[in-house]
Amino acid sequence: MKFSSRAERIEPFYVMEVAKAAQAMAREVAATSQPMIFLNIGEPDFTAPPLVQEAAARAVRDGATQYTNALGLEPLRERISAWYQQRFGVNVPARRIVVTAGASAALQLACLALIESGDEILMPDPSYPCNRHFVSAADGKAVLVPTTAAERYQLSAEKVRAAWTDKTRGVLLASPSNPTGTSIAPDELRRIHDVVREHDGITLIDEIYLGLSYEEEFGHTALAIDDQIVSINSFSKYFNMTGWRLGWMVVPEAMVPVVERLAQNLFICASTVSQHAALACFEAESIAEYERRRAEFKARRDFFIPALQSMGLSVPVMPDGAFYAWADCSEAAGRLGVSGSWDFAFEVMKRAHVAVTPGRDFGTAETERFVRFSTANSMAQLEESVARLRRLLG
């Protein structure tokens, strides 16, 4: 069978390959004194709070399960709009909000609407691998620009200007970022967008972890800068609805009918039950619970990062959001008699029964030295992980 060159360009998602190996080993050690602890997947251990679950059950019970408008339920778009005003002090009209089948669908729609064959999109290295594959699937090319700890592993206006060529169409950023948990300072983001506008380009920004910002300096939406920025968001992370497959995008007004036409043909609509459930995310009781959970994620970060540092697993930049630790494992790998994050990850999995993600997925800028820990797990599990790593690393 012959497959398309587009499909062949999509690399394996190594995070999931490691996850499969971890699951297989987990079955072997399930009954031992050290069952597998999973610090490899970026999925909150919390689930949707009670009001959201009740809203989903009510939608099913009432038969509210038929197709919605391709742009999403109007009341949900209105509530998302109100959330931007209340949370960030930014006016985002509901007519510019498109509800999608997860942030993945939003990224696919954005790329298909904006990228021509051969267009190049600048992205930081390291960055979330699926983002570059969305570009590739739209027949564009992701150009990874190496970043450093001094730059918070984010692009700068200077680097964007230097990397821009006649083929460049725009930038795809993430703030906070996966795998580093770092955000772009608002002033630098404004400067990046100025460079993009000078070249009549597009600024796309993945803000799916924005609700999980911990520092006032960084917890601001890019939509405050310009209504021409395309922002991608999700109900998966802050709202703890990963498997519900629901997200949204905010687009310039002229882009709405284009995205609507694509969404009608590719998706019809996002899950109707999930949309009705998501209405309850914005109730005061739900927001209070999400904020309690955000504080818990911050407490986990504040415990786990110093613990890693004390074991020689250096985290060059303290994450200001999300639930990741991007740790240099070079020195620790040497102590285990292996080299590189791939072998280190499997050694830790085998000997400590702790699953972590090697840097291979996230780019080529020294990523072989780094592993990503996910702190989207209970404090008890994180404490046990630290104890096992201490015993392993000495």
Side-chain angles (χ1 to χ4, degrees):
M1 185 176 291
K2 184 180 179 180
F3 299 104
S4 70
S5 58
R6 179 185 302 106
E8 297 297 339
R9 285 196 301 270
I10 305 300
E11 302 166 24
F13 193 7
Y14 293 107
V15 167
M16 303 316 293
E17 295 300 313
V18 174
K20 285 192 291 186
Q23 289 287 356
M25 187 171 292
R27 289 190 289 271
E28 297 176 11
V29 303
T32 71
S33 61
Q34 285 197 347
M36 188 66 69
I37 296 176
F38 296 93
L39 304 185
N40 56 320
I41 301 296
E43 180 172 36
D45 57 322
F46 300 114
T47 58
L51 289 184
V52 177
Q53 296 180 37
E54 291 163 12
R58 187 164 55 250
V60 173
R61 188 172 59 247
D62 294 348
T65 58
Q66 296 178 311
Y67 296 138
T68 71
N69 185 293
L71 297 177
L73 286 173
E74 189 61 31
L76 181 55
R77 297 165 74 200
E78 293 285 355
R79 291 206 180 184
I80 295 170
S81 172
W83 188 69
Y84 276 108
Q85 184 65 58
Q86 294 159 6
R87 183 67 175 255
F88 305 108
V90 176
N91 178 31
V92 178
R95 64 181 179 273
R96 292 176 47 214
I97 296 170
V98 181
V99 179
T100 60
S104 296
L107 279 159
Q108 182 181 4
L109 289 168
C111 289
L112 290 174
L114 296 168
I115 295 172
E116 295 280 11
S117 179
D119 283 349
E120 294 183 351
I121 301 294
L122 305 179
M123 301 171 61
D125 186 348
S127 60
Y128 183 57
C130 295
N131 287 2
R132 65 179 184 265
H133 297 323
F134 285 117
V135 173
S136 182
D139 289 331
K141 180 182 178 182
V143 176
L144 296 182
V145 179
T147 62
T148 65
E151 298 165 319
R152 304 181 55 76
Y153 298 114
Q154 293 284 0
L155 290 185
S156 64
E158 181 181 1
K159 282 195 169 177
V160 170
R161 189 181 297 281
W164 201 283
T165 72
D166 291 342
K167 293 183 178 180
T168 306
R169 179 73 176 101
V171 298
L172 173 51
L173 313 169
S175 185
S177 166
N178 177 4
T180 65
T182 61
S183 300
I184 309 172
D187 288 347
E188 190 62 37
L189 181 56
R190 187 180 296 276
R191 285 189 285 270
I192 291 171
H193 184 57
D194 286 343
V195 174
V196 173
R197 285 193 306 180
E198 285 175 27
H199 292 89
D200 196 28
I202 53 174
T203 300
L204 291 89
I205 184 158
D206 171 348
E207 295 190 313
I208 69 174
Y209 295 101
L210 184 61
L212 293 175
S213 289
Y214 310 123
E215 315 296 338
E216 173 57 30
E217 178 184 358
F218 298 108
H220 307 279
T221 175
L223 296 169
I225 295 173
D226 188 359
D227 61 10
Q228 295 304 297
I229 289 175
V230 176
S231 171
I232 307 298
N233 218 309
S234 174
F235 284 93
S236 290
K237 309 302 181 180
Y238 176 74
F239 295 103
N240 308 151
M241 294 175 69
T242 51
W244 301 67
R245 305 316 303 134
L246 194 66
W248 76 87
M249 58 196 304
V250 180
V251 301
E253 202 150 341
M255 191 174 162
V256 173
V258 178
V259 171
E260 181 178 21
R261 188 168 69 247
L262 288 167
Q264 287 168 338
N265 282 277
L266 296 178
F267 300 101
I268 301 181
C269 67
S271 163
T272 301
V273 172
S274 295
Q275 290 189 66
H276 281 289
L279 288 167
C281 289
F282 302 99
E283 296 295 333
E285 179 182 325
S286 297
I287 293 293
E289 177 61 16
Y290 289 131
E291 286 300 290
R292 185 194 68 77
R293 295 175 180 185
R294 182 167 71 106
E296 174 63 20
F297 280 125
K298 182 178 183 294
R300 295 173 185 180
R301 178 200 70 169
D302 292 345
F303 160 75
F304 195 70
I305 303 292
L308 290 181
Q309 305 270 33
S310 71
M311 290 183 278
L313 288 160
S314 172
V315 180
V317 185
M318 177 64 116
D320 57 83
F323 34 62
Y324 301 114
W326 186 240
D328 187 337
C329 67
S330 303
E331 191 265 339
R335 276 186 270 161
L336 297 183
V338 299
S339 62
S341 63
W342 183 264
D343 290 343
F344 176 80
F346 277 89
E347 200 71 8
V348 167
M349 187 192 306
K350 181 175 69 177
R351 294 170 60 179
H353 301 166
V354 176
V356 302
T357 299
R360 178 181 294 185
D361 264 325
F362 303 103
T364 59
E366 299 188 319
T367 51
E368 76 282 353
R369 291 173 43 202
F370 285 84
V371 289
R372 188 197 72 178
F373 291 87
S374 169
T375 54
N377 210 326
S378 71
M379 185 67 85
Q381 293 276 274
L382 294 176
E383 290 170 346
E384 173 62 20
S385 298
V386 166
R388 293 186 192 179
L389 290 169
R390 285 196 198 283
R391 288 195 295 270
L392 177 64
L393 296 173

